[in-house]
Amino acid sequence: MDSIKGLKEYIRLPFYREVLGLSEEVTERYEMLAQGEYNRNYVFTHPVTGKKLVLRVNCGSQMHLRHQIEYEFHALKLLESSGRTPKPLYVDGSLEYLEHGIMVMEFLPGTTLDYHKGLGGAAECLADIHSVKMPEEGMHTLITPENPLEAILDECEEMVKTYMESSLGEEEKKEKIREMLDTGREIVRSIPNEPVYQCCVNTELNNTNFLVDEKGYTYLVDWEKPLYADPAQDLGHFLAPTTTFWKTDVLLEREEMLDFLDTYIRAVAGRFDVTGLKKRAMQFTGITCLRGITWCAMAWVQYREPGKMLFNQSTFEKLNAYLDADFLEKMHQFLKDTFCM
């Protein structure tokens, strides 16, 4: 725990220990579970209950939120009844005692989702999460984009500036990415922004964010960027080639995508209106590919900056794969095909 300054002192504070039912003396051992760009997660066993818990330390925010950890905690509280997310137990985003936000939640055991074996379980998991009714508008406090497809494109434009303005970027690829974004913008503007069922969506559905336990039950454990939006946004991100290809090299066939959506709709079982959901999900799938491409373009430049402290060769190779001319062309065609359903 030495990597987070002051963390050892924080876990000794009386209010932290009282809320969690821990003894005055620190007898539990905290071990690194996982570390990302914005969070560090530690696992420990509660000395009284014997249950494993996760201490999450927030070090930044993709959403540019000052109280990021409290936002995550709130989303988990809203979704607690789904039985598919970790139960949140404690949060402190005051930054009064530590310069980072803190959350404690239950530890869920399991293995990373296998796309070849776990698509059905993932569909059922998402159906249960999306079926949780949120409080009335204005009461759930989740960020609600006015037009989610437009919002994703705006995010793409912001990210791709790094590549477009860099002398390191290849001119032909700049032109191709610009063409793809223009295609996406033209298509999205042709789609009526009609009211649909909305719920808490995760928006970051990589297979590593899912855990499958020994009985095959699937959980969704990372809630860094939740929104109040169309469930189709989650479905689109989950199925997008730029999502599946990142960690596993899997590119789902169109029929696999449609079968997944059929399984999802059956699992919803009438809990909310799914009219037009399959079409909207495929539209989000195409636009999500633009998000993946522009993020990789930004990250590719950042990886080439002199003096970069952390360099992962496999990640850099994957970034090159996403910016390969053939892959860009394939994603451009996929984008156009998803709006022709």
Side-chain angles (χ1 to χ4, degrees), residues 74 78 133-142 144 228:
H74 178 60
L78 289 172
K133 299 296 189 294
M134 293 293 105
E136 293 181 9
E137 187 175 354
M139 299 297 290
H140 54 70
T141 71
L142 294 171
T144 309
Y228 182 68

Side-chain angles (χ1 to χ4, degrees), residues 313-327:
Q313 183 62 35
S314 62
T315 295
F316 186 62
E317 290 173 1
K318 184 65 78 169
L319 295 175
N320 282 315
Y322 273 62
L323 295 178
D324 178 80
D326 289 340
F327 188 78

Side-chain angles (χ1 to χ4, degrees), residues 42-58:
Y42 301 86
V43 64
F44 67 99
T45 300
H46 196 291
V48 178
T49 66
K51 292 183 177 180
K52 281 190 175 182
L53 302 176
V54 175
L55 169 66
R56 185 170 175 85
V57 183
N58 175 245

